[in-house]
Amino acid sequence: MHRVDEQYEEHPLSSEVEIKLEIAPAQRARLRDSPWFGELAATARRENLVSTYFDTRERKLRRKGISLRVRRVGDKRVQTIKARGTAISREESEREIHGDTPDLELAVDTALGPLVSKKLERSLEPVFEVDVHRTSFPLRTTSGEIEVAIDEGEIRGAGGVAPISEIELELKEGEPRALVDAARRLASEAPVSYGIRSKADRGYALLEHHGAEPVFAEDIELDETVTVQDAFREIGLSCLRHAALNEAAVRAADPEGVHQMRVGLRRLRAAVSLFKEMLDDDETETVKTRLRWLTDQLGPARDYDVFVTETVEPMKQSDPHESELSRLEAVLDEKREEKFSDTASAVASDRAHEVVLEAALWLIDGHWASAPGEPARELREGRMKPRASDILTRRTRKIVKRLKRLEELDPRQRHELRIAVKKLRYGTQFFASLFPGTKSARKKLVKELKQLQDALGALNDIRVHDGLSSQVARDVRESTKGEAAGDASFAAGLVTGQEELKQRTLVSEATKCGGKLARAPRFWE
């Protein structure tokens, strides 16, 4: 064990509130050349920071949402322990130690405390190293004071090396609005993007060789006493994280990555809908329009992929017109590749990065969070749990009512019903932690919602595929002559006919699911 420097003993615990931005190396130079940055540079502090992260071979700390590092700053050694917290705030313990390995005696009153033991101490080993050159300076806005830290360097570990080029904005005094103001000012000087992953996240991803793999939604944990405002912020930022973490997979043309990014954006848009009574302002409408644009960039690639993999390929296995279907598949594959390329370019663009950044800043401290008037304030500061019960009850009742007349609905109305079912399903996931001890009832309800969503989704796919088939048939006639054109057009018509035969069965399945949903237990009651 190592003796702690006395200056760190009085306040070992704090709450770190920050926003992280990513900036391309070329844009760092642009930022530094700006007159605004030049004025701040006079007070800048520059230092080299080398941090070694520790964990067990089984990654016990990682699984518990804890990071443990020892940072070398000149001759000093500083031990930092961070715990999983809210989207922008987490518990942090920082103390100076003597030595290059962790001192667990100084961790007993931190998030790591319950895990501290002689066995853990023996099991800890260095897992990766972060080496950065930091330029930092204070920045005061009308809402508070923050520290701006520009980091450039690399992460080194058994999985290789990954570059770092990012800006950390940490709140020192005041309100989160100060972080939002500073992020927007930086974005006005040079293109930046919202930083989704911490250095620890990136280090572990390097260890596990996670590069462009799809990322799935994380569980959302809400305290039973959480306010409506804080619940929405936590849910929204979790959904945004889900979407943005899939950028690498989308750029690698991974179909599941495209699907997961789309799901993340739709979950966010569903959250906005569930909380719409609190979000009635022009800024919200602007954010919704931008998110819709980004979601639309993913749609064509996803539609063509589903058409090929879930309709055309299965038909080839059993249909006597295999050769005609193969010609259609070849045309669709070419279109699918084109759409994936378009999607990759769109999500990598400055416009897409701006959409994600502005959505994050809006979630953190948009106008909705400080709307004047007593009713708005009471809504924001009210408890989420009773509000969640009301939201789930009202939406379930409306869906069951509409399902009773499902056969009368046209394709567009069925599509709207499917979206309503999807929003309700997402809502059950968002609010699940508010109702502990209801797992069995919740699973039963979610099962019924999933089956209903699948049936309505299949009906919507038929509508989408009909449009794609018509478009493909026109494209083939314009670009190809002779037998190939005839075969592809014939196959497109064949697929449309086969899918239309399924409609009555799917409507019947959805109606049955609606009956089961009406009888399913309400876990929130």
Side-chain angles (χ1 to χ4, degrees):
M1 297 293 183
H2 312 291
R3 183 177 60 84
V4 62
D5 190 301
E6 292 181 358
Q7 67 175 318
Y8 287 87
E9 286 189 300
E10 290 185 280
H11 302 288
L13 289 175
S14 63
S15 180
E16 178 186 54
V17 181
E18 69 173 15
I19 294 177
K20 191 183 297 291
L21 306 173
E22 294 182 2
I23 183 168
Q27 299 303 334
R28 282 203 312 265
R30 175 176 169 179
L31 178 62
R32 285 175 175 150
D33 289 340
S34 70
W36 173 73
F37 186 88
E39 292 177 10
L40 295 169
T43 61
R45 183 175 72 254
R46 296 174 176 81
E47 54 192 343
N48 291 315
L49 307 175
V50 182
S51 302
T52 302
Y53 285 73
F54 291 82
D55 206 337
T56 67
R57 188 170 303 222
E58 297 77 24
R59 307 295 183 251
K60 185 174 183 177
L61 303 191
R62 179 64 172 174
R63 286 187 279 108
K64 295 292 185 179
I66 296 170
S67 68
L68 170 63
R69 76 179 186 221
V70 174
R71 172 170 285 173
R72 304 196 296 277
V73 188
D75 295 331
K76 286 186 178 182
R77 301 294 182 269
V78 179
Q79 174 176 285
T80 303
I81 299 167
K82 296 186 181 184
R84 183 184 292 126
T86 67
I88 63 168
S89 176
R90 55 184 173 172
E91 180 187 299
E92 177 185 66
S93 169
E94 193 166 79
R95 284 167 150 163
E96 187 173 348
I97 62 174
H98 293 280
D100 293 322
T101 57
D103 185 342
L104 296 191
E105 282 188 0
L106 303 178
V108 294
D109 57 353
T110 71
L112 183 57
L115 304 178
V116 169
S117 66
K118 292 290 185 183
K119 181 179 179 182
L120 177 67
E121 185 176 10
R122 291 192 299 270
S123 302
L124 289 176
E125 60 183 23
V127 289
F128 56 87
E129 186 174 82
V130 177
D131 187 349
V132 299
H133 177 74
R134 169 168 290 181
T135 302
S136 58
F137 50 85
L139 175 62
R140 178 164 287 280
T141 75
T142 56
S143 303
E145 184 174 323
I146 66 172
E147 181 180 72
V148 179
I150 302 176
D151 289 345
E152 49 187 303
E154 61 185 20
I155 302 172
R156 298 187 290 266
V161 178
I164 293 173
S165 181
E166 63 186 27
I167 304 172
E168 290 183 359
L169 307 176
E170 183 175 353
L171 185 65
K172 294 299 184 181
E173 180 184 326
E175 301 297 323
R177 163 61 54 178
L179 296 173
V180 172
D181 292 341
R184 289 206 168 105
R185 181 59 199 266
L186 284 163
S188 72
E189 298 292 339
V192 295
S193 57
Y194 184 51
I196 301 296
R197 296 182 298 173
S198 67
K199 293 181 178 69
D201 289 336
R202 298 184 65 191
Y204 279 105
L206 188 66
L207 280 180
E208 297 157 6
H209 303 284
H210 290 170
E213 291 85 357
V215 177
F216 297 83
E218 301 170 333
D219 290 338
I220 295 173
E221 295 295 331
L222 300 175
D223 187 273
E224 288 188 63
T225 63
V226 71
T227 64
V228 175
Q229 173 177 280
D230 289 341
F232 172 65
R233 182 179 290 119
E234 194 66 21
I235 290 167
L237 287 169
S238 176
C239 295
L240 188 64
R241 174 181 170 86
H242 176 201
L245 283 175
N246 279 285
E247 180 184 334
V250 173
R251 294 173 69 171
D254 186 311
E256 185 61 31
V258 172
H259 178 51
Q260 288 302 318
M261 188 173 195
R262 197 178 184 208
V263 168
L265 291 169
R266 284 183 164 176
R267 290 174 71 233
L268 175 53
R269 291 169 62 190
V272 173
S273 177
L274 294 173
F275 287 84
K276 64 182 179 181
E277 293 178 25
M278 189 176 66
L279 307 173
D280 185 19
D281 59 69
D282 292 342
E283 185 184 34
T284 296
E285 292 304 312
T286 298
V287 171
K288 286 168 60 177
T289 299
R290 289 172 171 172
L291 290 172
R292 192 178 301 113
W293 170 82
L294 185 53
T295 306
D296 289 347
Q297 305 313 301
L298 301 160
R302 174 66 178 167
D303 289 342
Y304 273 100
D305 186 65
V306 170
F307 193 15
V308 172
T309 60
E310 297 184 14
T311 298
V312 178
E313 287 182 356
M315 280 186 67
K316 280 176 56 182
Q317 307 303 316
S318 57
D319 196 280
H321 301 285
E322 191 271 339
S323 62
E324 291 92 339
L325 287 167
S326 292
R327 290 183 188 267
L328 173 63
E329 184 180 17
V331 175
L332 289 172
D333 278 337
E334 184 176 340
K335 296 289 288 186
R336 177 172 59 173
E337 185 175 337
E338 174 189 322
K339 298 304 180 185
F340 270 104
S341 178
D342 291 344
T343 297
S345 297
V347 302
S349 68
D350 287 345
R351 181 178 179 181
H353 291 160
E354 182 182 353
V355 168
V356 173
L357 175 60
E358 284 299 323
L361 300 181
W362 170 75
L363 287 163
I364 292 167
D365 197 21
H367 294 327
W368 64 270
S370 56
E374 191 62 20
R377 186 188 64 79
E378 287 185 357
L379 176 56
R380 291 195 304 270
E381 296 179 3
R383 293 290 177 87
M384 185 68 243
K385 188 171 182 176
R387 192 74 185 171
S389 295
D390 181 59
I391 290 171
L392 297 176
T393 296
R394 284 189 289 108
R395 288 185 174 259
T396 303
R397 188 182 296 128
K398 287 181 179 180
I399 288 171
V400 170
K401 184 178 180 180
R402 292 169 71 182
L403 282 166
K404 291 179 180 178
R405 46 187 293 270
L406 180 61
E407 292 190 8
E408 302 172 19
L409 303 182
D410 60 32
R412 173 55 59 182
Q413 291 171 321
R414 290 173 186 166
H415 174 60
E416 291 171 352
L417 176 58
R418 180 180 70 92
I419 292 174
V421 171
K422 186 178 294 187
K423 288 177 180 178
L424 176 59
R425 184 175 166 221
Y426 289 151
T428 64
Q429 296 169 348
F430 296 157
F431 305 137
S433 60
L434 295 172
F435 305 94
T438 62
K439 185 176 181 180
S440 178
R442 189 171 70 251
K443 285 181 67 176
K444 183 173 179 58
L445 180 73
V446 169
K447 178 183 177 182
E448 304 303 343
L449 287 172
K450 177 67 165 61
Q451 291 177 344
L452 176 58
Q453 183 181 323
D454 287 346
L456 293 172
L459 284 167
N460 187 64
D461 286 343
I462 290 173
R463 180 179 66 87
V464 172
H465 295 169
D466 182 45
L468 292 180
S469 294
S470 299
Q471 181 61 52
V472 166
R474 287 194 296 272
D475 291 345
V476 168
R477 284 194 297 270
E478 292 174 3
S479 61
T480 310
K481 303 297 181 182
E483 185 179 353
D487 285 349
S489 295
F490 171 78
L494 184 67
V495 170
T496 298
Q498 287 282 346
E499 289 207 312
E500 287 178 351
L501 291 175
K502 300 177 185 177
Q503 287 197 69
R504 183 169 294 277
T505 299
L506 290 169
V507 169
S508 177
E509 288 180 8
T511 301
K512 289 179 182 178
C513 288
K516 292 180 180 179
L517 176 62
R519 298 187 296 273
R522 309 299 195 244
F523 68 86
W524 57 87
E525 294 180 346

mmCIF file of all heavy atoms in Angstrom, residues 146-164:
data_model
loop_
_atom_site.group_PDB
_atom_site.id
_atom_site.type_symbol
_atom_site.label_atom_id
_atom_site.label_comp_id
_atom_site.label_asym_id
_atom_site.label_seq_id
_atom_site.Cartn_x
_atom_site.Cartn_y
_atom_site.Cartn_z
ATOM 1 N N ILE A 146 -16.251 26.640 -16.788
ATOM 2 C CA ILE A 146 -15.873 25.285 -17.153
ATOM 3 C C ILE A 146 -14.376 25.244 -17.436
ATOM 4 O O ILE A 146 -13.725 26.279 -17.598
ATOM 5 C CB ILE A 146 -16.637 24.796 -18.407
ATOM 6 C CG1 ILE A 146 -16.230 25.624 -19.628
ATOM 7 C CG2 ILE A 146 -18.132 24.823 -18.186
ATOM 8 C CD1 ILE A 146 -16.788 25.092 -20.915
ATOM 9 N N GLU A 147 -13.852 24.026 -17.483
ATOM 10 C CA GLU A 147 -12.470 23.829 -17.927
ATOM 11 C C GLU A 147 -12.508 23.149 -19.286
ATOM 12 O O GLU A 147 -13.178 22.127 -19.455
ATOM 13 C CB GLU A 147 -11.684 22.956 -16.953
ATOM 14 C CG GLU A 147 -10.228 22.760 -17.406
ATOM 15 C CD GLU A 147 -9.421 21.890 -16.463
ATOM 16 O OE1 GLU A 147 -9.661 20.666 -16.450
ATOM 17 O OE2 GLU A 147 -8.551 22.433 -15.753
ATOM 18 N N VAL A 148 -11.820 23.731 -20.233
ATOM 19 C CA VAL A 148 -11.703 23.169 -21.573
ATOM 20 C C VAL A 148 -10.366 22.446 -21.651
ATOM 21 O O VAL A 148 -9.320 23.041 -21.358
ATOM 22 C CB VAL A 148 -11.769 24.261 -22.655
ATOM 23 C CG1 VAL A 148 -11.629 23.648 -24.045
ATOM 24 C CG2 VAL A 148 -13.062 25.051 -22.533
ATOM 25 N N ALA A 149 -10.380 21.177 -22.025
ATOM 26 C CA ALA A 149 -9.144 20.404 -22.157
ATOM 27 C C ALA A 149 -9.095 19.769 -23.537
ATOM 28 O O ALA A 149 -9.977 18.983 -23.896
ATOM 29 C CB ALA A 149 -9.070 19.321 -21.082
ATOM 30 N N ILE A 150 -8.093 20.141 -24.322
ATOM 31 C CA ILE A 150 -7.910 19.569 -25.662
ATOM 32 C C ILE A 150 -6.837 18.489 -25.569
ATOM 33 O O ILE A 150 -5.689 18.771 -25.205
ATOM 34 C CB ILE A 150 -7.498 20.652 -26.667
ATOM 35 C CG1 ILE A 150 -8.554 21.758 -26.698
ATOM 36 C CG2 ILE A 150 -7.306 20.056 -28.059
ATOM 37 C CD1 ILE A 150 -8.194 22.928 -27.580
ATOM 38 N N ASP A 151 -7.211 17.257 -25.862
ATOM 39 C CA ASP A 151 -6.307 16.117 -25.735
ATOM 40 C C ASP A 151 -5.951 15.562 -27.104
ATOM 41 O O ASP A 151 -6.828 15.314 -27.942
ATOM 42 C CB ASP A 151 -6.962 15.003 -24.917
ATOM 43 C CG ASP A 151 -7.081 15.345 -23.443
ATOM 44 O OD1 ASP A 151 -6.421 16.305 -23.013
ATOM 45 O OD2 ASP A 151 -7.830 14.654 -22.729
ATOM 46 N N GLU A 152 -4.665 15.342 -27.319
ATOM 47 C CA GLU A 152 -4.207 14.653 -28.526
ATOM 48 C C GLU A 152 -3.167 13.629 -28.113
ATOM 49 O O GLU A 152 -2.274 13.903 -27.317
ATOM 50 C CB GLU A 152 -3.620 15.643 -29.531
ATOM 51 C CG GLU A 152 -2.605 16.613 -28.950
ATOM 52 C CD GLU A 152 -2.193 17.681 -29.948
ATOM 53 O OE1 GLU A 152 -1.709 17.319 -31.027
ATOM 54 O OE2 GLU A 152 -2.370 18.871 -29.626
ATOM 55 N N GLY A 153 -3.306 12.420 -28.620
ATOM 56 C CA GLY A 153 -2.377 11.359 -28.242
ATOM 57 C C GLY A 153 -2.879 10.022 -28.731
ATOM 58 O O GLY A 153 -3.460 9.921 -29.811
ATOM 59 N N GLU A 154 -2.715 8.978 -27.889
ATOM 60 C CA GLU A 154 -3.104 7.647 -28.327
ATOM 61 C C GLU A 154 -3.368 6.735 -27.133
ATOM 62 O O GLU A 154 -2.913 6.977 -26.014
ATOM 63 C CB GLU A 154 -2.031 7.033 -29.220
ATOM 64 C CG GLU A 154 -0.681 6.852 -28.549
ATOM 65 C CD GLU A 154 0.392 6.350 -29.505
ATOM 66 O OE1 GLU A 154 0.214 6.508 -30.734
ATOM 67 O OE2 GLU A 154 1.392 5.779 -29.026
ATOM 68 N N ILE A 155 -4.115 5.670 -27.428
ATOM 69 C CA ILE A 155 -4.357 4.592 -26.473
ATOM 70 C C ILE A 155 -3.544 3.397 -26.943
ATOM 71 O O ILE A 155 -3.583 3.039 -28.125
ATOM 72 C CB ILE A 155 -5.849 4.230 -26.420
ATOM 73 C CG1 ILE A 155 -6.683 5.452 -26.040
ATOM 74 C CG2 ILE A 155 -6.095 3.094 -25.431
ATOM 75 C CD1 ILE A 155 -8.180 5.217 -26.155
ATOM 76 N N ARG A 156 -2.820 2.777 -26.021
ATOM 77 C CA ARG A 156 -1.997 1.626 -26.366
ATOM 78 C C ARG A 156 -2.385 0.429 -25.510
ATOM 79 O O ARG A 156 -2.549 0.542 -24.287
ATOM 80 C CB ARG A 156 -0.517 1.938 -26.159
ATOM 81 C CG ARG A 156 0.008 3.065 -27.026
ATOM 82 C CD ARG A 156 1.514 3.194 -26.882
ATOM 83 N NE ARG A 156 1.887 3.695 -25.566
ATOM 84 C CZ ARG A 156 2.104 4.978 -25.286
ATOM 85 N NH1 ARG A 156 1.973 5.897 -26.231
ATOM 86 N NH2 ARG A 156 2.448 5.356 -24.062
ATOM 87 N N GLY A 157 -2.545 -0.700 -26.162
ATOM 88 C CA GLY A 157 -2.886 -1.914 -25.437
ATOM 89 C C GLY A 157 -2.582 -3.136 -26.259
ATOM 90 O O GLY A 157 -2.038 -3.032 -27.372
ATOM 91 N N ALA A 158 -2.953 -4.308 -25.731
ATOM 92 C CA ALA A 158 -2.681 -5.558 -26.447
ATOM 93 C C ALA A 158 -3.399 -5.610 -27.789
ATOM 94 O O ALA A 158 -2.970 -6.311 -28.710
ATOM 95 C CB ALA A 158 -3.112 -6.738 -25.578
ATOM 96 N N GLY A 159 -4.492 -4.851 -27.907
ATOM 97 C CA GLY A 159 -5.245 -4.857 -29.163
ATOM 98 C C GLY A 159 -4.707 -3.912 -30.205
ATOM 99 O O GLY A 159 -5.234 -3.845 -31.315
ATOM 100 N N GLY A 160 -3.648 -3.147 -29.879
ATOM 101 C CA GLY A 160 -3.067 -2.227 -30.853
ATOM 102 C C GLY A 160 -3.014 -0.802 -30.330
ATOM 103 O O GLY A 160 -2.918 -0.574 -29.126
ATOM 104 N N VAL A 161 -3.111 0.135 -31.250
ATOM 105 C CA VAL A 161 -3.013 1.559 -30.917
ATOM 106 C C VAL A 161 -4.197 2.293 -31.554
ATOM 107 O O VAL A 161 -4.565 2.010 -32.697
ATOM 108 C CB VAL A 161 -1.689 2.158 -31.425
ATOM 109 C CG1 VAL A 161 -1.623 3.648 -31.127
ATOM 110 C CG2 VAL A 161 -0.506 1.432 -30.799
ATOM 111 N N ALA A 162 -4.795 3.220 -30.814
ATOM 112 C CA ALA A 162 -5.901 4.027 -31.336
ATOM 113 C C ALA A 162 -5.619 5.494 -31.048
ATOM 114 O O ALA A 162 -5.231 5.840 -29.931
ATOM 115 C CB ALA A 162 -7.223 3.602 -30.703
ATOM 116 N N PRO A 163 -5.782 6.365 -32.034
ATOM 117 C CA PRO A 163 -5.506 7.797 -31.822
ATOM 118 C C PRO A 163 -6.583 8.470 -30.985
ATOM 119 O O PRO A 163 -7.740 8.037 -30.957
ATOM 120 C CB PRO A 163 -5.480 8.351 -33.247
ATOM 121 C CG PRO A 163 -6.383 7.451 -34.013
ATOM 122 C CD PRO A 163 -6.215 6.085 -33.414
ATOM 123 N N ILE A 164 -6.193 9.539 -30.311
ATOM 124 C CA ILE A 164 -7.127 10.357 -29.531
ATOM 125 C C ILE A 164 -7.034 11.794 -30.020
ATOM 126 O O ILE A 164 -5.938 12.344 -30.151
ATOM 127 C CB ILE A 164 -6.779 10.331 -28.028
ATOM 128 C CG1 ILE A 164 -7.011 8.939 -27.447
ATOM 129 C CG2 ILE A 164 -7.610 11.351 -27.258
ATOM 130 C CD1 ILE A 164 -6.538 8.810 -26.012
#
